[in-house]
């Protein structure tokens, strides 16, 4: 594969953009400049085509450039939907209706531009509601780039060291430049460990616990049976706000969020990504008594939500179109995604078995991950101790060289869209077979 144009673009952009990328998470090897996407495929600046399983970090549930979503955005532009920045609009009300109709735990919602803004507001609302400062987050969870949650995703085990009495991990920031006191109010624990949750709740004034209901930023790390209900019960007992960060799971696994599949209702939920099929929209929603703090009559108790681009017509038009498609076609869409996911999982398991390579294919519906270890991980400690990270990356790079784009970092989720076909899955399996034949 030739990457001459990609190389040239990186060199040119690096002159002015630090690192040459606008999100540090995009700086990976091989360095590729992508210029077009349609359905399940993307093309780079050199004209190489890829079957895409990265999906822009997962938003493209309906595939790239979905015709109905594109048409809705174009229509919003042509009809002159504008961002007045004063008062309200019909389209933000429609998006709110669709969200509240889709997700049972949402009495109220607010729209943001990104998932990070939504999780930021979740912290602020929780603190205003409880009058407490501390938060609990999961090791291996990602909840955005702001201080307090930008920590402890794929932390090297040597940085975590031995765990404390309460089985807390040390706060390991993802960024320089955070205030030094952030760590004192953020408590990082391993997923699937209810005892650690209770220890934190007993020992700190905790406002909220924030978790992805499946850890999908380290592949697919599922909650064990009863874990999410256990979180619900502990939050109720200690008066802690339970926040499900469904930015990645929401709309991908079910219209009602992953919470609808497990039957556990959080107090607040955050959404993003698949909600607008690739356009920038986030949302926070939940119980009226908490959400209404955004409009509390007493100014001293009111929580600020602001943003010049909140409710921008183009992404909101995309979100309305996406949610209407999901609502209209959900009886076909989710079974199709499940069937494609199952075909991928079974095909991969058979191939790796035939080639004598030990892996575990973890999957929830259309989201999957090949772990180079002999069991499904229960948390980051388990994963980091057992997954062959170097082999994981070699596998991904070898697939890229054969026109199948998996993000070339270990444990990153693969995302199938409704635009993928059985033939695409089979072509992916053929490429995988070739990769395994060559050896990784
Ligand atoms: C679970 C989760 N929460 C929050 C975020 C942050 O969303 P955004 O990148 O739109 O700010 C992400 C992004 O990857 C995410 O996966």
């Amino acid at each position: 594969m030739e990457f001459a144009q990609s190389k040239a673009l990186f060199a040119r952009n690096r002159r002015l953009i630090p690192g040459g990328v606008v999100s540090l998470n995009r700086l990976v090897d091989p360095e590729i400049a992508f210029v077009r996407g349609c359905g399940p495929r993307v093309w780079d600046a050199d004209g190489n085509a890829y079957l895409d399983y990265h999906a822009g970090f997962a938003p493209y549930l309906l595939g790239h450039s979905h015709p109905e979503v594109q048409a809705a955005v174009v229509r919003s532009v042509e009809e002159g939907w504008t961002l007045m920045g004063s008062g309200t609009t019909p389209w933000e009300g429609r998006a709110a209706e669709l969200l509240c109709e889709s997700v049972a735990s949402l009495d109220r919602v607010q729209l943001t531009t990104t998932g990070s803004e939504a999780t930021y507001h979740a912290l602020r609302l929780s603190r205003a509601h409880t009058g407490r400062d501390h938060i609990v987050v999961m090791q291996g969870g990602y909840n955005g780039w702001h201080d307090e949650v930008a920590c402890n995703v794929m932390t090297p085990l040597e940085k975590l060291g031995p765990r404390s009495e309460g089985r807390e991990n040390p706060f390991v920031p993802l960024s320089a430049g955070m205030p030094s006191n952030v760590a004192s109010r953020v408590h990082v624990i391993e997923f699937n460990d209810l005892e650690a949750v209770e220890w934190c709740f007993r020992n700190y004034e905790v406002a909220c616990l924030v978790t992805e209901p499946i850890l999908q930023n380290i592949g697919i790390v599922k909650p064990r049976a009863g874990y999410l209900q256990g979180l619900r019960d502990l939050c109720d007992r200690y008066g802690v706000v339970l926040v499900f960060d469904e930015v990645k799971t929401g709309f991908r696994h079910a219209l009602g969020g992953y919470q609808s599949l497990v039957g556990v209702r959080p107090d607040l939920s955050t959404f993003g990504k698949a909600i607008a099929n690739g356009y920038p929209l986030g949302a926070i929603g939940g119980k009226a008594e908490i959400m209404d703090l955004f409009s509390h009559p007493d100014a001293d108790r009111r929580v600020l939500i602001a943003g010049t681009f909140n409710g921008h017509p183009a992404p909101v038009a995309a979100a309305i179109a996406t949610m209407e498609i999901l609502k209209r076609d959900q009886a076909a869409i989710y079974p199709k995604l499940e069937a494609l996911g199952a075909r991928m999982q079974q095909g991969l398991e058979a191939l790796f078995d035939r080639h004598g390579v030990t892996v575990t294919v973890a999957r929830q519906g259309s989201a999957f991950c090949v772990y180079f270890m002999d069991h499904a991980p229960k948390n980051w400690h388990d994963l980091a101790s057992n997954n062959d990270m170097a082999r994981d990356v070699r596998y991904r790079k070898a697939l890229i060289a054969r026109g199948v784009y998996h993000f070339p970092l270990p444990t990153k989720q693969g995302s199938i869209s409704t635009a993928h076909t059985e033939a695409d899955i089979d072509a992916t399996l053929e490429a995988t077979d070739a990769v395994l034949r060559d050896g990784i």
Side-chain angles (χ1 to χ4, degrees):
M1 237 174 214
E2 277 294 315
F3 294 120
Q5 295 300 324
S6 281
K7 278 201 179 77
L9 272 170
F10 261 92
R12 181 172 161 190
N13 292 352
R14 273 204 169 96
R15 290 176 311 150
L16 300 176
I17 301 174
V21 290
V22 294
S23 164
L24 202 57
N25 294 338
R26 299 179 193 172
L27 195 55
V28 286
D29 176 42
E31 294 183 339
I32 304 177
F34 291 97
V35 293
R36 194 163 81 83
C38 183
R41 286 186 178 71
V42 289
W43 287 264
D44 70 18
D46 291 274
N48 301 309
Y50 307 82
L51 263 173
D52 179 31
Y53 293 99
H54 179 46
F57 279 113
Y60 288 102
L61 182 62
L62 305 175
H64 293 268
S65 309
H66 186 275
E68 275 183 75
V69 178
Q70 300 293 70
V73 174
V74 169
R75 203 179 322 119
S76 76
V77 174
E78 285 174 351
E79 288 180 3
W81 297 15
T82 196
L83 179 72
M84 185 58 195
S86 176
T88 193
T89 67
W91 48 89
E92 58 209 40
R94 178 65 187 139
E97 271 166 18
L98 283 162
L99 269 156
C100 290
E101 282 163 21
S102 303
V103 185
S105 68
L106 307 187
D107 302 330
R108 307 270 195 276
V109 288
Q110 275 290 10
L111 303 182
T112 61
T113 306
T114 64
S116 295
E117 290 164 78
T119 57
Y120 184 89
H121 288 307
L123 302 190
R124 218 184 231 176
L125 275 177
S126 301
R127 286 178 168 141
H129 178 68
T130 58
R132 305 173 186 169
D133 274 352
H134 291 246
I135 67 165
V136 175
V137 296
M138 297 297 156
Q139 175 69 50
Y142 180 69
N143 309 111
W145 49 254
H146 47 93
D147 294 352
E148 301 192 307
V149 295
C151 63
N152 296 72
V153 186
M154 297 169 66
T155 320
L157 285 183
E158 10 356 315
K159 280 203 171 179
L160 293 178
R163 278 187 288 169
S164 68
E165 180 202 350
R167 300 215 286 273
E168 269 186 71
N169 287 339
F171 179 90
V172 182
L174 292 181
S175 173
M178 288 188 192
S180 54
N181 62 2
V182 168
S184 64
R185 51 183 189 266
V186 180
H187 306 284
V188 186
I189 56 172
E190 292 286 343
F191 197 60
N192 277 324
D193 183 355
L194 288 175
E195 278 176 36
V197 174
E198 185 154 24
W199 193 91
C200 288
F201 287 4
R202 267 206 310 264
N203 286 277
Y204 308 108
E205 288 289 304
V206 178
C208 64
L209 178 143
V210 184
T211 186
E212 297 173 72
I214 300 177
L215 296 187
Q216 286 191 200
N217 281 281
I218 50 169
I220 304 290
V221 177
K222 291 192 182 185
R224 64 174 168 74
Y227 174 67
L228 296 176
Q229 184 58 49
L231 292 180
R232 177 68 280 172
D233 296 343
L234 283 171
C235 284
D236 286 342
R237 194 166 333 135
Y238 288 88
V240 172
V241 177
L242 178 60
V243 183
F244 279 177
D245 179 354
E246 292 236 39
V247 166
K248 218 161 180 185
T249 51
F251 299 92
R252 176 161 286 280
H253 302 319
L255 190 54
Y258 184 68
Q259 55 192 267
S260 69
L261 299 180
V262 282
V264 178
R265 276 193 187 206
D267 301 304
L268 294 175
S269 304
T270 53
F271 298 95
K273 304 219 185 229
I275 195 176
N277 202 56
Y279 284 85
L281 195 96
I284 175 165
K287 282 187 176 159
E289 62 169 316
I290 305 178
M291 288 295 295
D292 283 345
L293 289 168
F294 281 135
S295 59
H296 199 285
D298 177 350
D300 291 337
R301 297 207 49 207
R302 198 177 306 145
V303 172
L304 174 69
I305 181 152
T308 302
F309 293 113
N310 287 4
H312 189 283
V316 176
I320 292 170
T322 303
M323 286 189 279
E324 282 179 343
I325 294 167
L326 294 177
K327 220 174 150 181
R328 184 189 68 207
D329 298 338
Q330 59 176 312
I333 284 176
Y334 292 104
K336 177 181 177 181
L337 290 170
E338 169 60 29
L340 291 174
R343 191 179 184 93
M344 179 72 90
Q345 178 176 4
Q346 285 154 17
L348 288 172
E349 283 169 352
L351 277 176
F352 279 101
D353 191 46
R354 177 142 48 82
H355 288 277
V357 179
T358 300
V359 296
T360 301
V361 184
R363 180 177 72 85
Q364 176 69 38
S366 59
F368 66 101
C369 184
V370 176
Y371 292 113
F372 289 82
M373 57 193 277
D374 65 4
H375 60 279
K378 67 176 196 298
N379 58 32
W380 172 249
H381 250 91
D382 183 14
L383 178 44
S385 314
N386 292 297
N387 190 47
D388 185 339
M389 302 288 185
R391 200 171 201 190
D392 193 337
V393 174
R394 287 199 299 275
Y395 162 67
R396 289 160 185 269
K397 287 186 177 174
L399 279 174
I400 291 173
R402 290 186 175 272
V404 173
Y405 197 87
H406 272 286
F407 199 61
L409 279 190
T411 80
K412 289 297 153 192
Q413 171 194 317
S415 300
I416 297 170
S417 74
T418 56
H420 287 82
T421 62
E422 289 188 352
D424 293 328
I425 305 295
D426 294 348
T428 305
L429 294 171
E430 272 169 38
T432 309
D433 195 15
V435 160
L436 292 176
R437 236 182 294 122
D438 290 349
I440 46 166

